[in-house]
Amino acid sequence: MKRVETGEKLKTLARLLREHQPAFALTGAGVSTESGIPDFRSRGEGLWERYDPAEVCSVEALHRDPARFWRFNLRWWRGCREAQPNAAHRALAALERAGLLRGVITQNIDGLHRAAGSTVWEVHGHLRTCRCMRCDRRHDFACLLEQIDDGADVPRCPCGGMLRPDVVLFGDAMGEDYWRATQVLTGCQVLLVVGSSLQVYPVAGLPRLARRLAIVNREPTPYDEEAAVVIHRAAGETLRSLLAELEMEDAGP
Ligand code: APR
């Protein structure tokens, strides 16, 4: 029953994308778990199931104990920088090349949609650069990693100021890409949500800007009731099947 049901839902999703444009994707950490990066709220496995984000990933935590902040976050941020795009990232980039998506609005900082070739709005920032909290100068994130690898507890700018990541931490204002995303979504006919619990505002309010909603997520979300189609399955296999349903070439694992 489940497989037949999913087949019907994929036909609906394919039809939505063919008949209603412009369409965008909105992704969260669940699109990158198949690249080996943990998400935040998967029952029993997510990072915030084990740690309090206010304690380890907030502006306040960075100021209170910068050495602990960097020790904790670099453990998974290094993984983000070393990970590779998976089938879901590749399929979304293929949908864009086929003219069925305008691009991807992502909450992820891992850069994997960019690496897969999508047009991306990184509403929670990225791990390519960092900036000085004293003189605001920007540096490659690699320079920061070099300092840590050379034994520094807290990475610093040549001016002596502490460096901070160019990601949106808890307690930060939203970045420019978030405001650009709200603009591009005006008039959006279909928003395809992939791998997000849709629990963290203001991004969790973006689905309200779209005329129609489609959700591919392993677990239920607060928007399931109002979505035109909801598929509670893994992103990689589901998006590869969507490409097949659209008679598009497989974009690979
Ligand atoms: N395929 C489909 N869905 C998946 C997969 C997968 N392979 N792996 C996980 N999921 C689902 C989980 O069931 C979960 O509902 O993806 C969702 C991920 O939700 P979260 O962990 O809450 O991640 P996200 O929605 O991106 O969180 C938003 O919260 O902590 C902040 O800044 C952080 O950007 C993050 C924001």
Side-chain angles (χ1 to χ4, degrees):
M1 184 53 193
K2 188 104 172 143
R3 190 159 298 283
V4 169
E5 189 192 325
T6 304
E8 284 311 308
K9 290 182 175 182
L10 283 169
K11 284 186 182 3
T12 304
L13 178 50
R15 193 172 55 253
L16 277 178
L17 292 173
R18 273 198 296 262
E19 294 174 5
H20 302 287
Q21 287 295 326
F24 291 82
L26 169 63
T27 69
V31 81
S32 295
T33 53
E34 292 167 61
S35 294
I37 300 171
D39 70 7
F40 301 101
R41 295 175 186 82
S42 268
R43 259 194 304 280
E45 320 160 15
L47 271 174
W48 304 154
E49 292 270 304
R50 290 169 281 156
Y51 302 96
D52 174 359
E55 284 298 306
V56 292
C57 203
S58 64
V59 179
E60 202 272 329
L62 173 58
H63 285 281
R64 186 182 60 242
D65 186 344
R68 181 175 181 240
F69 174 93
W70 287 108
R71 236 184 353 266
F72 175 84
N73 288 295
L74 283 182
R75 278 212 309 261
W76 63 286
W77 286 351
R78 282 183 196 273
C80 289
R81 284 170 52 91
E82 288 152 14
Q84 293 301 314
N86 64 49
H89 298 104
R90 291 190 212 292
L92 291 172
L95 287 170
E96 182 178 342
R97 288 193 298 274
L100 292 170
L101 276 187
R102 289 291 171 84
V104 180
I105 293 157
T106 188
Q107 303 170 85
N108 301 340
I109 60 175
D110 55 35
L112 294 182
H113 287 299
R114 245 170 95 113
S118 288
T119 301
V120 200
W121 291 268
E122 295 170 309
V123 298
H124 285 166
H126 55 78
L127 291 169
R128 292 185 292 279
T129 56
C130 53
R131 65 182 184 275
C132 176
M133 295 163 77
R134 177 186 293 170
C135 71
D136 214 28
R137 204 172 115 194
R138 273 210 160 64
H139 302 272
D140 276 351
F141 202 86
C143 302
L144 179 155
L145 290 176
E146 276 164 27
Q147 289 189 40
I148 299 288
D149 292 342
D150 288 349
D153 283 337
V154 178
R156 290 190 179 277
C157 172
C159 84
M162 243 184 9
L163 294 177
R164 63 149 292 161
D166 275 329
V167 303
V168 177
L169 300 171
F170 285 90
D172 268 330
M174 292 306 284
E176 279 163 35
D177 263 13
Y178 170 75
W179 301 108
R180 287 196 195 103
T182 58
Q183 298 299 316
V184 296
L185 278 180
T186 310
C188 168
Q189 294 302 304
V190 178
L191 186 66
L192 169 57
V193 175
V194 184
S196 178
S197 63
L198 294 174
Q199 290 181 31
V200 178
Y201 284 81
V203 177
L206 292 181
R208 295 203 181 98
L209 299 178
R211 199 68 201 280
R212 298 168 191 81
L213 198 50
I215 298 174
V216 174
N217 200 62
R218 262 192 330 215
E219 294 168 53
T221 79
Y223 281 88
D224 283 11
E225 293 304 309
E226 50 202 278
V229 56
V230 179
I231 302 175
H232 287 156
R233 294 173 74 88
E237 63 173 306
T238 302
L239 294 186
R240 285 183 93 170
S241 304
L242 174 62
L243 295 189
E245 184 59 44
L246 288 160
E247 293 170 0
M248 286 172 56
E249 205 177 308
D250 184 23

